[in-house]
Amino acid sequence: MYLDEKIYENIEKSIDSEKIDTISINNKLVLIEPYFPKPRVIIFGGGHIAKPLSEFASRVGFSVTVVDDGVFVLKFHL
C-alpha cells in the first residue's frame, strides 16, 4: 500500500506532539497513536551496588528490574 506525503506528515506531527491523530485513507479512518515506552534497565546481581543504582535509575525515569540468584530477599523497594 502506497502512503502519500500528507500521511507521513501527519505521522510525524503526531509523534512530535505525542498526541493521538486520525487520518482518512481510502474512506477508512486510521488511528495514529504514538507509543513511547518507559526505558528499562535490568541489573544483574543484588549486591551493594544494586540499591543505589536501582534508586538512581528509577529517579531518572527507568523501569527497574533486579535479577539475583541468591537465596536472600532484597530488603529495599522502589
Side-chain angles (χ1 to χ4, degrees), residues 11-25:
I11 291 170
E12 286 181 20
K13 181 181 81 172
S14 182
I15 290 172
D16 290 343
S17 67
E18 298 182 10
K19 294 185 178 177
I20 295 173
D21 195 8
T22 57
I23 301 173
S24 179
I25 301 174

Side-chain angles (χ1 to χ4, degrees), residues 1-52:
M1 180 169 92
Y2 173 75
L3 301 177
D4 65 13
E5 287 298 316
K6 182 173 173 53
I7 295 169
Y8 287 114
E9 289 172 10
N10 284 17
I11 291 170
E12 286 181 20
K13 181 181 81 172
S14 182
I15 290 172
D16 290 343
S17 67
E18 298 182 10
K19 294 185 178 177
I20 295 173
D21 195 8
T22 57
I23 301 173
S24 179
I25 301 174
N26 299 328
N27 295 324
K28 294 181 181 179
L29 193 60
V30 176
L31 176 71
I32 302 171
E33 183 175 7
Y35 174 64
F36 302 99
K38 194 173 186 181
R40 297 188 68 187
V41 63
I42 301 172
I43 301 168
F44 292 92
H48 67 284
I49 298 298
K51 185 175 189 295

